[in-house]
């Protein structure tokens, strides 16, 4: 049907996606025993991504991201067994 996947990554990550009003919230998690740097594609565009730490609640703006083919691409860094909200 020509619809791109909701989420893709160049490393193995688990994810879930939900919407809250106008916000798209992705939870991504790594089962790796080492830190990972993942290039991720989210089927969202026209929004400015943020990364939220699920343990501390700290947030940080994402300064480098691209929109392509109706998706947003950005790098996500995760600690061993780490996770993040995007």
């Amino acid at each position: 049907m020509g619809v791109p996947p909701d989420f893709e990554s160049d490393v193995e990550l688990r994810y879930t996606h939900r919407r809250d009003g106008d916000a798209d919230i992705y939870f991504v998690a790594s089962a790796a025993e080492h830190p990972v740097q993942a290039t991720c594609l989210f089927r969202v565009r026209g929004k400015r991504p943020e990364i939220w730490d699920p343990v501390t609640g700290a947030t940080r703006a994402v300064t480098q991201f691209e929109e392509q083919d109706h998706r947003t691409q950005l790098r996500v860094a995760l600690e061993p067994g780490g996770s993040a909200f995007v």
Side-chain angles (χ1 to χ4, degrees):
M1 294 175 62
V3 177
D6 186 38
F7 174 82
E8 288 184 286
S9 175
D10 62 347
V11 298
E12 187 174 338
L13 296 177
R14 291 174 270 179
Y15 89 99
T16 188
H17 175 205
R18 65 175 283 208
R19 293 195 57 135
D20 185 12
D22 290 337
D24 283 274
I25 303 165
Y26 286 82
F27 178 77
V28 295
S30 170
E33 295 179 3
H34 53 82
V36 297
Q37 293 278 335
T39 299
C40 301
L41 283 163
F42 302 88
R43 193 176 59 207
V44 174
R45 69 177 187 159
K47 298 180 180 184
R48 184 160 197 83
E50 293 180 328
I51 305 245
W52 291 51
D53 184 308
V55 175
T56 66
T59 64
R60 65 181 170 87
V62 175
T63 57
Q64 295 185 347
F65 65 95
E66 293 180 27
E67 288 188 358
Q68 59 182 347
D69 300 326
H70 304 285
R71 299 191 290 177
T72 300
Q73 177 180 306
L74 59 111
R75 298 280 292 165
V76 177
L78 298 172
E79 294 299 320
S83 59
F85 288 102
V86 180

